[in-house]
Amino acid sequence: MYKVFIVDDEPFIIEGLYDVVDWSKHDIEVVGHAQNGRQALEKMAVIPVDILITDISMPIMTGLELIEGARQLNPNLRVIILSGFDDFAYLKEGLRLGIENYLLKPINLKELEETILSTTDKMTNAKREMHLDPYDINILRSNILYRWITGRIEAEELDERASLLNLNLDLPFLMVSILRSDDESLEMLLHQLMEQQERVYYFRDNDGDHVLICMMQDPDIEKTRAIRELQQIRERCDQAGLCISLGSVQNLGGDYTASYRHAKEAQEYYLVLQQPAYVDYLDVQEKKGESAQAHVLQWPEYARGIAGRDRQVLFLQIDRDFDQLRHTPGMTPTMLKSLAVEMIIRLKLELNEIQYAAAPDFVKHTVTRIMDSNSIDDLVTGVKGGVGRLVDSLNQDVKSPVIQQILLHTQQHYNEDLSLKVLGAEYHIHPVYLGHLFHKETGESFTEYVNKYRIDKAKELLRTTSMKVQDIAKNVGYWETGYFYKQFKKFVAYRPETFGECSDETDQSIFSLFSP
């Protein structure tokens, strides 16, 4: 459904357009109105608009000025001008701006509806004529699926993109599976599976993991089928290095994103469960209960030690637990190694809870040392070594939890409205104090940090896409192209166009057609 916005300084004109046009017949929704151009621009900055119907002579800002400003928000905006002036100069300027029609007041309803029909036909044909090659489709599909399964896309945008890509995401249940492997044939096999099986979708996430989303009508039957298909994938590629995890089955009407998080967590437990075929999140939950009850490991003590960055507390708890475990009847070296690995994974998950991403090789290196240990003393030394390095890493990062949250929020929402006032309200801290704290802990102002981060993202888009500069500016959070140029020149020695031309990595991308 196309979206129209109406601007006129005469309220009765706006009201009349709402009432006399059968908008639904043209598959159009009126999403807003304004009585002057400045007010219209403010609203259109947050409301997606396909068609603008505007008067040309208004106070504060003329219709022509409005059109120029609105085109910076949406270069593909279609415009219909209403005017009480049969003035050739106005008409000429309107044609220069690329309008659909210049209608004189009083408005001829038939002419208006014919203009609307012609405009929507052009927009529909433009969509049909869009040519997407397989590479572009894969990029767009991955982008949309990742944002959907992590809950980062609005329903309206999802509907539009899903329709374009033939994604049927309307079954009542889903289950996410994650596969990790260095086998280059795995991606091809998963693409083939997606092509063969309706309602199975594949993409690579930001961590490089292979992700399958299985839409389901009857989970009791279809989960078994999904596992069988994954087993067939395993048989066709390098089994030794392939780790498969299953997330929980979730209702699409609930927290469906939990399935992806659970599949990620199950991957971390792969070594603990020592299950060669796959790891199911349900087994992980059972394993957590068994471990905590059977061996009485004091996970809250470890959590407190991590939160306090206290090496001594953590080392004492490790000594206590493993001294108790080594004297537990029936304990075997294999079980001890499994529990040690589980401890390390639990600590990593604790870091995830506080959204700390340092020491990325912490698990890998520590688990290798544990599995290679020949005695319990060697094993405990390996565990302490990994935990000690982790504490050192935490102590090197002295930022307060509030600033860590602000940095993470900025990195995830850099293309949105960001200000100390907005963030201060969200995190319940006075914006002035937040500004002082941010500068004290990072060495730069919040505004400078945001601009630098946005310009870095813009440089990446200039290198890797063929997007227009004005589209890149909007994509990274600048609604005013002129301000983007100013900031770009501040942090980079040359203009955006020159930067793009000088890059050897510039590539055609679907993002020249769609914003992510």
Side-chain angles (χ1 to χ4, degrees):
M1 179 172 283
Y2 296 114
K3 304 185 182 306
V4 68
F5 194 95
I6 302 171
V7 188
D8 200 298
D9 61 338
E10 299 179 89
F12 74 91
I13 294 289
I14 295 176
E15 185 176 349
L17 289 174
Y18 266 94
D19 294 337
V20 301
V21 177
D22 187 354
W23 299 103
S24 60
K25 181 180 73 173
H26 301 290
D27 197 27
I28 291 177
E29 174 190 6
V30 180
V31 294
H33 65 271
Q35 292 183 343
N36 64 68
R38 183 179 299 170
Q39 184 185 63
L41 276 181
E42 290 174 357
K43 292 184 177 182
M44 292 174 68
V46 294
I47 302 174
V49 176
D50 301 307
I51 304 171
L52 171 65
I53 299 179
T54 181
D55 189 6
I56 202 166
S57 179
M58 296 181 293
I60 302 178
M61 180 184 289
T62 69
L64 296 176
E65 292 170 333
L66 168 61
I67 295 168
E68 289 184 332
R71 282 272 165 74
Q72 293 183 15
L73 300 176
N74 178 9
N76 298 316
L77 183 71
R78 306 279 176 158
V79 180
I80 300 171
I81 286 180
L82 309 178
S83 178
F85 299 93
D86 188 5
D87 190 312
F88 179 74
Y90 278 148
L91 175 59
K92 182 179 178 181
E93 183 63 15
L95 292 174
R96 184 189 69 80
L97 292 171
I99 63 172
E100 302 303 313
N101 205 347
Y102 186 100
L103 303 178
L104 291 174
K105 297 178 182 177
I107 302 167
N108 183 308
L109 180 60
K110 182 179 179 182
E111 185 180 7
L112 173 62
E113 290 202 327
E114 287 176 351
T115 300
I116 291 170
L117 180 61
S118 172
T119 302
T120 56
D121 283 346
K122 287 179 185 178
M123 297 169 72
T124 301
N125 291 334
K127 284 186 177 181
R128 289 172 181 164
E129 291 170 2
M130 234 175 249
H131 176 68
L132 305 180
D133 63 36
Y135 176 75
D136 287 340
I137 290 174
N138 285 334
I139 292 176
L140 182 57
R141 182 193 294 117
S142 295
N143 177 274
I144 296 305
L145 289 174
Y146 177 72
R147 292 168 62 201
W148 176 61
I149 205 62
T150 55
R152 300 176 185 177
I153 188 171
E154 297 296 330
E156 182 179 334
E157 182 183 359
L158 176 65
D159 289 343
E160 178 186 341
R161 305 297 171 84
S163 175
L164 178 68
L165 295 168
N166 294 319
L167 298 176
N168 298 312
L169 307 175
D170 54 355
L171 287 185
F173 300 95
L174 65 78
M175 181 187 73
V176 174
S177 177
I178 289 177
L179 300 90
R180 290 179 182 169
S181 174
D182 294 328
D183 189 339
E184 295 181 357
S185 67
L186 179 58
E187 186 164 358
M188 178 191 69
L189 293 172
L190 293 174
H191 271 296
Q192 290 176 354
L193 177 62
M194 180 173 62
E195 292 169 0
Q196 295 166 2
Q197 297 294 334
E198 187 179 6
R199 305 301 178 94
V200 173
Y201 302 109
Y202 162 71
F203 70 95
R204 298 287 293 272
D205 68 11
N206 290 358
D207 298 324
D209 287 337
H210 302 268
V211 182
L212 278 181
I213 301 176
C214 301
M215 307 300 299
M216 298 178 176
Q217 184 72 45
D218 186 343
D220 293 335
I221 297 174
E222 293 172 71
K223 180 176 179 178
T224 302
R225 185 180 67 190
I227 292 172
R228 185 169 60 249
E229 290 165 348
L230 290 168
Q231 297 282 39
Q232 293 172 357
I233 293 290
R234 171 180 288 281
E235 293 170 2
R236 296 175 61 188
C237 65
D238 180 13
Q239 300 183 31
L242 177 60
C243 301
I244 302 174
S245 62
L246 308 180
S248 53
V249 173
Q250 293 289 332
N251 190 310
L252 207 60
D255 183 15
Y256 64 88
T257 63
S259 184
Y260 175 73
R261 298 195 301 272
H262 293 163
K264 284 283 196 181
E265 183 175 345
Q267 275 285 337
E268 303 294 350
Y269 277 81
Y270 207 88
L271 288 173
V272 175
L273 296 177
Q274 298 180 342
Q275 192 171 4
Y278 62 90
V279 173
D280 193 326
Y281 179 72
L282 294 177
D283 297 331
V284 169
Q285 293 298 89
E286 292 175 4
K287 181 66 178 176
K288 285 181 181 178
E290 291 172 3
S291 299
Q293 185 174 4
H295 305 296
V296 200
L297 295 179
Q298 302 300 316
W299 299 119
E301 292 299 321
Y302 289 107
R304 278 193 284 273
I306 288 294
R309 308 177 185 187
D310 194 323
R311 178 195 295 259
Q312 185 177 1
V313 167
L314 290 165
F315 281 12
L316 284 173
Q317 194 60 47
I318 291 170
D319 286 334
R320 290 194 196 101
D321 281 340
F322 279 93
D323 184 61
Q324 179 181 357
L325 289 170
R326 70 170 26 169
H327 295 102
T328 300
M331 183 63 63
T332 66
T334 300
M335 292 171 64
L336 276 173
K337 288 184 178 181
S338 178
L339 285 166
V341 171
E342 181 171 5
M343 175 184 292
I344 296 305
I345 292 171
R346 288 258 187 163
L347 290 177
K348 184 184 182 234
L349 293 175
E350 196 66 39
L351 295 179
N352 292 342
E353 288 295 318
I354 63 174
Q355 298 181 326
Y356 184 78
D361 296 328
F362 163 63
V363 171
K364 180 181 178 181
H365 290 164
T366 309
V367 167
T368 299
R369 175 69 189 275
I370 289 170
M371 301 309 291
D372 291 343
S373 62
N374 296 315
S375 67
I376 189 168
D377 290 335
D378 191 25
L379 183 149
V380 171
T381 299
V383 171
K384 286 183 175 179
V387 171
R389 288 190 296 273
L390 176 61
V391 171
D392 290 342
S393 177
L394 284 166
N395 284 329
Q396 288 173 9
D397 187 346
V398 296
K399 296 183 182 66
S400 67
V402 171
I403 297 304
Q404 291 185 41
Q405 289 279 0
I406 295 298
L407 291 171
L408 180 66
H409 183 102
T410 301
Q411 292 161 12
Q412 292 178 344
H413 304 279
Y414 62 89
N415 58 348
E416 299 175 8
D417 180 25
L418 289 174
S419 68
L420 289 172
K421 183 178 180 181
V422 170
L423 293 173
E426 181 164 346
Y427 292 98
H428 309 292
I429 183 170
H430 195 281
V432 175
Y433 175 72
L434 180 59
H436 287 310
L437 185 62
F438 190 94
H439 188 275
K440 177 183 177 182
E441 298 198 14
T442 65
E444 58 187 339
S445 70
F446 177 73
T447 300
E448 185 178 28
Y449 176 83
V450 171
N451 281 322
K452 187 185 300 181
Y453 194 86
R454 285 172 169 170
I455 294 304
D456 284 343
K457 290 294 182 181
K459 286 159 61 179
E460 181 181 339
L461 291 173
L462 285 165
R463 284 194 301 265
T464 60
T465 76
S466 59
M467 292 173 64
K468 296 179 180 178
V469 172
Q470 62 185 22
D471 294 332
I472 288 177
K474 185 171 71 171
N475 191 279
V476 300
Y478 294 104
W479 294 104
E480 291 291 337
T481 308
Y483 185 65
F484 169 71
Y485 271 94
K486 180 179 178 182
Q487 292 302 319
F488 197 93
K489 190 174 181 181
K490 176 181 177 181
F491 292 103
V492 186
Y494 29 76
R495 293 169 62 84
E497 295 90 346
T498 308
F499 184 90
E501 291 166 3
C502 293
S503 173
D504 293 330
E505 300 176 11
T506 302
D507 190 12
Q508 293 299 316
S509 167
I510 187 62
F511 299 114
S512 62
L513 300 177
F514 299 97
S515 61

